[in-house]
Amino acid sequence: MSILAAIDFSDTYQDIIEQAVFQALAYSEKLYLIHVENPDATFVSEGVPPQFIAGVSEDNFEVDKKHLNELVTDIKSKGVEADYFLETGITAQKIVEKAKLLQSKLIVVGSHGHSMFMDLIKGSTHEGVLHKANCPVLVVPVKK
């Protein structure tokens, strides 16, 4: 069993980690962070060669790995066993799949507070996770 916290390095990811660490300590569970890189469809559709996109993705992955390692080290210093996953694909789907694989007790996600228009265009990750998860989902609101 474990707790899975989905982070995207936006303004709210520290709040998500804070809540996830709190829950992991309360339930004595291992905490996994998951970050999902999502290829930008508009970027791909503008005729950019695939090898360029792969190079960009590799650079992003290296930066993300470094950041995730730092976060896991910090979480461990708080007395929580922790690790991370770095995935590519559809964000909500990857989060739910990983939670099922880990048999997570809880998924912690953030709510960005996008406008309804943006949610219609891009979709809302936390809503996708809420509808598909087979465990409780804690949605951390944006601090304004």
Side-chain angles (χ1 to χ4, degrees), residues 7 10 15 25 36 53 64 77 79 96 111 115 127 133 135-136 138:
I7 59 171
S10 67
D15 296 333
L25 286 168
V36 182
I53 295 166
D64 292 345
S77 75
V96 170
S111 169
S115 68
E127 286 181 9
C135 66
L138 172 62

Side-chain angles (χ1 to χ4, degrees), residues 20-130:
V21 167
F22 178 80
Q23 298 296 324
L25 286 168
Y27 291 107
S28 299
E29 293 288 344
K30 183 170 184 175
L31 173 59
Y32 289 97
L33 303 179
I34 184 169
H35 175 70
V36 182
E37 278 288 333
N38 200 342
D40 184 351
T42 57
F43 187 66
V44 173
S45 69
E46 290 177 359
V48 177
Q51 62 272 25
F52 179 74
I53 295 166
V56 170
S57 295
E58 285 176 23
D59 291 344
N60 287 349
F61 261 55
E62 290 309 311
V63 170
D64 292 345
K65 281 182 187 178
K66 183 178 183 221
H67 199 167
L68 287 162
N69 276 316
E70 291 169 357
L71 292 171
V72 165
T73 299
D74 184 55
I75 290 167
K76 287 179 177 179
S77 75
K78 296 173 181 168
V80 174
E81 188 179 352
D83 206 345
Y84 73 86
F85 296 99
L86 181 54
E87 303 278 336
T88 56
I90 301 168
T91 307
Q93 178 182 337
K94 289 292 183 176
I95 293 166
V96 170
E97 286 173 2
K98 192 60 73 177
K100 286 178 183 175
L101 181 71
L102 296 169
Q103 297 178 339
S104 296
K105 276 187 165 179
L106 177 70
I107 301 171
V108 183
V109 295
S111 169
H112 290 288
H114 292 150
S115 68
M116 287 178 70
F117 179 72
M118 283 303 293
D119 284 344
L120 280 172
I121 291 173
K122 289 181 65 178
S124 168
T125 298
H126 74 274
E127 286 181 9
V129 171
L130 279 168

